[in-house]
Amino acid sequence: MPVNTIPPVDLVRQYKLISEEVDRAVLEVVRSGRYIGGEVVKDFEEQLAKYVGSAHCIGCNSGTDALYLALRALNIGAGDEVITTPFTFIATTETVSLVGAKPVFVDIERDTLNMDVGAIEAAITPQTKAIIPVHLFGQPVNMARLMDIAQKHNLYVIEDCAQSTGAKWEEDLTGNIGHVGCFSFFPTKNLGTCGDGGAVTTNDPAIAETIKVIKEHGSAQRYYHDVVGINSRLDSIQAAILRVKLSYLDQWNKQRREISQRYHQLLAGIPGIQLPQEIKGGYHVWNQYTILVKNHNNNEKTTRDDLREKLQENGIISMIYYPIPLHLQKVYHNLGYQKGAFSVTEEAANEVLSLPMFPDISPEEQEQVAYALRDYFA
Ligand SMILES: *Cc1c(COP(=O)(O)O)cnc(C)c1O
């Protein structure tokens, strides 16, 4: 029997460290009677804009909504194509489909698991309107190269920063490099709240204005509806919690970076696994620490799945992000991609394993993870 379980993320541990501040922030909102909008939301939007370095920030209900709002504001719809990675959470392309546009995939790089920027140009057609780089697991995409391509072909860039709040490409924060940045405050993200939440950042006042209209039922003036909108709000309680947590984000990201360094040291030299690395020019914020486990099995069960079970027997819970690439999902059969279309992605889907990663994991717990991993390969 395992003595103690090491979860992939421990949100209670984090809450306990800042519980007084969080409790006070929540109670203030509850006692104020103002539960939607108000100063708290406005203030958080301003603080996040300042943090990211962008002129505008608009809170919304989720990271998924942030992506949807960005696409709508850029007028992307039927007949348009959007280039992105097949190795991401479904929200990245679900929103492309929801606005009526077509996701077009390019393969990823094995070393970063991010979209292969060098493959973008070959995927551009006269219908291409935008690129959505996803800063997966907190690792920034090479935005210098990507922006060059976007400018050359006159394409919009929507950054999916759901996993990368605080990450940088060179000196710039992710979310402030493309035309629009989309953030998620889902509890397990680097800046996570106690429920759902999201935000959009931009330096373009017209885009910001359109997003505000669409997220409020298509109305700039109450009860006057100019376009078809949705209801997407960052609620006041979540904004109050996020305001507290934003002040800790840099510290937590630093802790994540230290934890990744310790994993690098503890796991160095194990044959059969590839450790994640920070891209040169990037500031990685390690939403996940994801290793690649090379497959040595000829049967159905991959070495990765076998290792995952072994870790679980030892009380270590690891995760698979993501087991099925988007181009092979049932929902996208109509796009016509075949198995083998993106070999790096497909191999990664069979090899990725995300180890326990959260700012307050202890060195002893990391050693326990490393011990179990070494033991498996011994
Ligand atoms: C979490 C996530 C989203 C969606 O965010 P929600 O707040 O859960 O809607 C989008 N893209 C990526 C890459 C994510 O990890």
Side-chain angles (χ1 to χ4, degrees):
M1 277 297 285
V3 263
N4 59 333
T5 300
I6 307 176
V9 183
D10 191 337
L11 298 172
V12 174
R13 231 183 270 189
Q14 183 180 72
Y15 165 68
K16 281 181 177 161
L17 292 170
I18 55 167
S19 62
E20 266 178 46
E21 277 179 280
V22 170
D23 291 0
R24 198 183 322 126
V26 170
L27 269 178
E28 258 172 39
V29 175
V30 174
R31 287 176 177 152
S32 76
R34 181 91 204 241
Y35 305 140
I36 299 289
E39 275 306 307
V40 186
V41 177
K42 196 165 157 263
D43 188 53
F44 170 69
E45 288 172 336
E46 280 169 13
Q47 283 187 31
L48 188 68
K50 198 168 151 216
Y51 179 86
V52 172
S54 64
H56 307 275
C57 170
I58 304 108
C60 62
N61 181 259
S62 66
T64 307
D65 276 9
L67 289 158
Y68 174 81
L69 290 165
L71 289 156
R72 283 286 310 275
L74 297 175
N75 215 10
I76 292 165
D80 298 334
E81 293 178 0
V82 177
I83 297 173
T84 191
T85 165
F87 200 58
T88 176
F89 182 56
I90 185 74
T92 311
T93 55
E94 187 177 43
T95 45
V96 171
S97 306
L98 277 172
V99 299
K102 181 178 153 190
V104 172
F105 298 114
V106 296
D107 210 348
I108 59 169
E109 309 168 315
R110 188 169 168 90
D111 287 344
T112 63
L113 303 177
N114 275 331
M115 79 193 293
D116 181 356
V117 175
I120 291 174
E121 281 197 296
I124 295 174
T125 74
Q127 282 71 48
T128 309
K129 278 280 166 61
I131 308 169
I132 307 184
V134 180
H135 308 295
L136 197 73
F137 303 147
Q139 169 99 280
V141 171
N142 183 330
M143 289 305 287
R145 278 180 71 203
L146 189 138
M147 292 309 291
D148 278 350
I149 294 166
Q151 258 148 33
K152 186 173 148 199
H153 297 273
N154 204 18
L155 302 175
Y156 287 122
V157 175
I158 301 169
E159 292 178 77
D160 184 336
C161 306
Q163 303 180 11
S164 74
T165 311
K168 287 180 225 170
W169 175 258
E170 285 164 358
E171 293 308 308
D172 299 315
L173 270 283
T174 57
N176 196 35
I177 306 168
H179 300 85
V180 188
C182 299
F183 293 85
S184 166
F185 309 125
F186 184 81
T188 61
K189 312 288 183 174
N190 287 37
L191 180 62
T193 189
C194 303
D196 272 310
V200 187
T201 53
T202 183
N203 288 305
D204 184 323
I207 294 174
E209 206 41 55
T210 310
I211 287 171
K212 278 183 204 160
V213 167
I214 295 169
K215 65 161 269 190
E216 284 188 33
H217 302 290
S219 59
Q221 191 188 347
R222 217 170 188 189
Y223 304 122
Y224 291 79
H225 306 280
D226 305 330
V227 292
V228 176
I230 57 172
N231 164 23
S232 186
R233 303 173 182 127
L234 178 65
D235 75 63
S236 312
I237 289 181
Q238 304 307 337
I241 294 167
L242 285 164
R243 215 162 46 163
V244 171
K245 289 195 169 192
L246 182 57
S247 66
Y248 290 95
L249 180 63
D250 283 343
Q251 181 194 318
W252 289 336
N253 281 343
K254 251 187 224 142
Q255 284 169 244
R256 287 176 184 274
R257 289 174 61 80
E258 284 161 19
I259 289 157
S260 75
Q261 286 300 319
R262 197 173 299 119
Y263 268 141
H264 292 343
Q265 286 160 14
L266 289 167
L267 300 173
I270 301 177
I273 70 170
Q274 183 179 323
L275 302 180
Q277 275 178 29
E278 182 176 59
I279 184 177
K280 199 165 169 281
Y283 183 85
H284 194 327
V285 293
W286 301 97
N287 181 250
Q288 299 295 335
Y289 187 92
T290 303
I291 63 172
L292 292 169
V293 184
K294 291 190 190 97
N295 193 20
H296 298 299
N297 291 350
N298 291 321
N299 48 11
E300 277 285 288
K301 196 203 259 178
T302 59
T303 308
R304 185 268 318 273
D305 289 348
D306 198 45
L307 168 63
R308 188 173 185 224
E309 278 170 27
K310 166 75 191 313
L311 292 176
Q312 190 155 354
E313 282 164 23
N314 286 280
I316 297 156
I317 315 301
S318 58
M319 304 295 282
I320 298 170
Y321 306 117
Y322 299 93
I324 303 175
L326 296 188
H327 68 284
L328 300 179
Q329 295 283 355
K330 188 173 167 194
V331 64
Y332 284 133
H333 275 184
N334 64 326
L335 294 178
Y337 291 105
Q338 304 297 318
K339 207 168 178 170
F342 303 114
S343 57
V344 185
T345 299
E346 289 166 36
E347 204 168 66
N350 287 326
E351 296 185 5
V352 282
L353 193 67
S354 297
L355 303 181
M357 166 55 91
F358 46 99
D360 310 298
I361 191 171
S362 71
E364 293 72 27
E365 286 171 316
Q366 285 194 268
E367 277 161 25
Q368 202 178 316
V369 173
Y371 183 85
L373 255 156
R374 282 196 182 277
D375 193 47
Y376 177 84
F377 287 103

